[in-house]
Amino acid sequence: MRDAAKVNREAIELYDSKTRQERKKWKESFVGYAMISPWLLGFFGLVIGPMIASLYFSFTDYDMLSSANWVGLQNYIHIFTSDPRFVQSLKVTLIFVFVSTPLKLAFALFLAMLFNTGRKGSGLFSTIYYIPSIIGGSVAVAVVWKQLFGSRGAVNSFLELFGFSGVNWIGSTDYALSVLILLVVWQFGSPMIIFLAGLRQIPQELYEAASVDGANSFRKFFSITLPMLTPVIFFNLIMQTIGGFMTFTQAYLITGGGPLDSTLFYAVYLYEVAFEYLRMGYASAMAWILLVIIGGITLVFFKSSSYWVHYESEGGRS
């Protein structure tokens, strides 16, 4: 009897102990969820909720002034078969992204390598070069850029000093897109800082060993610097490509999509459809198409990364 009572008492104590542990874990979980509840509310209320609504509206004819009418795949069919401006905006955006992104990363890496030499004042100059990335997407910079490249702007005034005639940079189909690409390339501060952090993680012993073997600067760059930086290059490539597809402010304020839709970026055309023509359902379909395009390009980058991205923890193989 005493043994049975002892067993029962131990079982009760074990049950009480487990119950207290479960209550403690529940309280800890509750406190954790309570702390992140503002983010959760914002995520579901301002991200997931609008995304679901946008997906629904993409299958409707909705103008924000009347109730939505279900039209099925009609918006998507019209986009791919009867909308030449969609094709033009996609073409312009792809050219912009795949020209500006490599140029921006190249300039960022070049400056990062200069600042990585440890010379006096490199920290100050790296901060100065980072400033355009902070203010580059602002309305004020777009307006200033428009004035610089205007028909009577500072750029043409400078060219006239050397006997060159002025160029209608913004109003010409040959130069308008180049002006926007130049503006975006000028904002290379953010990837430059990331490249600089990556360069400082490369062991100096590798360069010393290469010097002993007689390697010159170019050999060190292509045999050591680039392979060791491939994870950072990969990250910058993904982020800058996504950012390029979402470019809006510069194109809308400087050229407004013109001339002759030569700078009609995808985001600019989507804005026009949604808020000027009030075709919110059609714009929602365009937004989801853009999401699929960005996702597809990102997937290609990830799939191809196994051939050129090298991680030190994996013995130089990804």
Side-chain angles (χ1 to χ4, degrees):
M1 294 293 293
R2 292 179 178 178
D3 292 340
K6 183 179 179 181
V7 171
N8 291 335
R9 185 167 58 255
E10 291 177 351
I12 293 174
E13 291 177 354
L14 181 61
Y15 174 79
D16 291 340
S17 177
K18 290 183 177 180
T19 302
R20 286 193 297 270
Q21 291 178 358
E22 291 178 357
R23 289 178 178 176
K24 183 179 179 180
K25 290 181 180 180
W26 184 86
K27 289 181 180 179
E28 291 177 352
S29 299
F30 176 79
V31 172
Y33 283 114
M35 295 294 292
I36 66 172
S37 59
W39 181 88
L40 289 175
L41 292 174
F43 178 71
F44 286 102
L46 301 177
V47 178
I48 298 298
M51 286 183 64
I52 295 175
S54 173
L55 181 61
Y56 167 75
F57 287 132
S58 69
F59 297 101
T60 66
D61 181 14
Y62 180 52
D63 60 3
M64 294 192 299
L65 301 178
S66 57
S67 59
N69 297 319
W70 184 267
V71 296
L73 296 175
Q74 182 176 334
N75 288 330
Y76 293 94
I77 295 174
H78 187 272
I79 287 174
F80 288 110
T81 61
S82 305
D83 191 350
R85 297 196 76 199
F86 164 78
V87 177
Q88 174 66 12
S89 66
L90 184 59
K91 175 184 175 182
V92 170
T93 304
L94 289 174
I95 294 174
F96 172 80
V97 170
F98 289 111
V99 172
S100 64
T101 300
L103 288 176
K104 179 189 288 189
L105 296 184
F107 277 104
L109 180 57
F110 175 74
L111 267 297
M113 293 186 65
L114 287 181
F115 296 142
N116 192 46
T117 57
R119 295 179 180 177
K120 185 177 180 180
S122 60
L124 174 62
F125 282 104
S126 63
T127 303
I128 294 174
Y129 277 95
Y130 182 72
I131 293 177
S133 293
I134 301 176
I135 64 174
S138 66
V139 174
V141 170
V143 173
V144 170
W145 206 261
K146 184 176 182 178
Q147 295 298 323
L148 286 174
F149 286 90
S151 57
R152 297 183 179 180
V155 174
N156 280 340
S157 299
F158 178 77
L159 292 176
E160 290 174 357
L161 294 177
F162 298 93
F164 296 99
S165 59
V167 177
N168 189 8
W169 299 99
I170 299 175
S172 171
T173 57
D174 297 327
Y175 302 108
L177 185 59
S178 300
V179 171
L180 297 179
I181 291 175
L182 182 62
L183 172 58
V184 173
V185 172
W186 174 65
Q187 303 166 21
F188 56 78
S190 179
M192 180 195 69
I193 294 297
I194 298 174
F195 278 135
L196 187 59
L199 287 170
R200 290 175 177 174
Q201 296 301 316
I202 300 177
Q204 292 299 314
E205 292 80 3
L206 298 177
Y207 294 106
E208 294 173 358
S211 298
V212 172
D213 292 338
N216 56 27
S217 299
F218 289 98
R219 183 66 181 273
K220 293 177 183 178
F221 176 75
F222 288 104
S223 299
I224 299 176
T225 305
L226 275 185
M228 296 294 290
L229 273 184
T230 49
V232 180
I233 295 173
F234 179 64
F235 174 79
N236 275 333
L237 179 64
I238 294 292
M239 299 304 296
Q240 297 303 320
T241 300
I242 295 175
F245 274 101
M246 295 188 296
T247 301
F248 170 78
T249 305
Q250 299 92 330
Y252 185 75
L253 293 178
I254 296 176
T255 63
L260 300 177
D261 289 343
S262 60
T263 59
L264 183 65
F265 287 10
Y266 198 102
V268 174
Y269 183 43
L270 194 153
Y271 173 84
E272 291 182 0
V273 171
F275 297 103
E276 294 184 12
Y277 308 144
L278 298 181
R279 301 177 63 187
M280 191 59 66
Y282 196 85
S284 298
M286 289 183 58
W288 278 95
I289 292 173
L290 179 61
L291 176 64
V292 172
I293 293 173
I294 294 176
I297 293 175
T298 304
L299 180 62
V300 171
F301 286 158
F302 271 97
K303 290 295 184 180
S304 64
S305 65
S306 60
Y307 299 100
W308 62 276
V309 179
H310 309 283
Y311 296 97
E312 184 179 3
S313 60
E314 298 179 357
R317 297 177 60 186
S318 59

